[in-house]
Amino acid sequence: SAGSGTSDGGAGRPSAADRARARAARDSAALAARYDAVVAGHPKLAERLGPLRAEVLRHAEAFGGAGKGSPSSSPSPSPSPSGSGAAASGPTPRPVPAKAQDALAELAAAERELADRRTEALLDVPGELARLLASVAAAGAAHVYLLTEAGR
């Protein structure tokens, strides 16, 4: 990719690939937190969303992020209104829609938006990271299907 900072190593700023990898890990962690919030608001969706959430956590780990909790042992399933833990990683979380169908649609939109961003980033990262982004974007597209079409 063009521009400086693509091979800085550890001597200063992280490389563009390292920044992209860290961003992808944060994005996956934030998406997993959104799954947690939806399950907290709609406990009947836990069985359906658990496998998707677990995969999102594996994506965060694949990008070098720390997978937090297992699908069966979330540390705090209820999101705090203050957003104290999530505030550092992004904007204040949106409230979960009251209707389960709307909550699923919102999750599907978040998955779609993230998959689209990852697809756009493919041209700006080196081969191995591009392959990982492509694979995770494809998984996100499958999640969109499972959250929308499969539930009808």
Side-chain angles (χ1 to χ4, degrees), residues 55-136:
E55 193 165 290
V56 168
L57 285 175
R58 283 192 295 274
H59 296 160
E61 291 171 15
F63 288 118
K68 296 176 185 168
S70 68
S72 60
S73 65
S74 293
S76 71
S78 302
S80 66
S82 68
S84 58
S89 64
T92 304
R94 296 177 307 276
V96 174
K99 291 173 58 178
Q101 186 175 13
D102 293 341
L104 290 173
E106 184 182 86
L107 267 179
E111 286 270 16
R112 183 179 299 112
E113 189 269 335
L114 186 52
D116 289 348
R117 272 195 289 142
R118 288 176 170 162
T119 301
E120 289 175 18
L122 292 176
L123 298 176
D124 299 326
V125 296
E128 190 60 34
L129 180 54
R131 284 186 285 279
L132 180 57
L133 278 172
S135 176
V136 173

Side-chain angles (χ1 to χ4, degrees), residues 21-86:
R21 186 180 292 275
R23 182 175 48 252
R26 283 191 311 270
D27 288 346
S28 288
L31 184 58
R34 192 63 193 158
Y35 272 89
D36 289 342
V38 170
V39 168
H42 300 281
K44 291 182 178 185
L45 295 176
E47 186 176 335
R48 179 176 179 184
L49 298 180
L52 300 178
R53 177 194 176 273
E55 193 165 290
V56 168
L57 285 175
R58 283 192 295 274
H59 296 160
E61 291 171 15
F63 288 118
K68 296 176 185 168
S70 68
S72 60
S73 65
S74 293
S76 71
S78 302
S80 66
S82 68
S84 58

Side-chain angles (χ1 to χ4, degrees), residues 48 52 104 142-152:
R48 179 176 179 184
L52 300 178
L104 290 173
H143 289 184
V144 171
Y145 173 79
L146 292 171
L147 290 166
T148 56
E149 302 301 321
R152 291 184 181 178

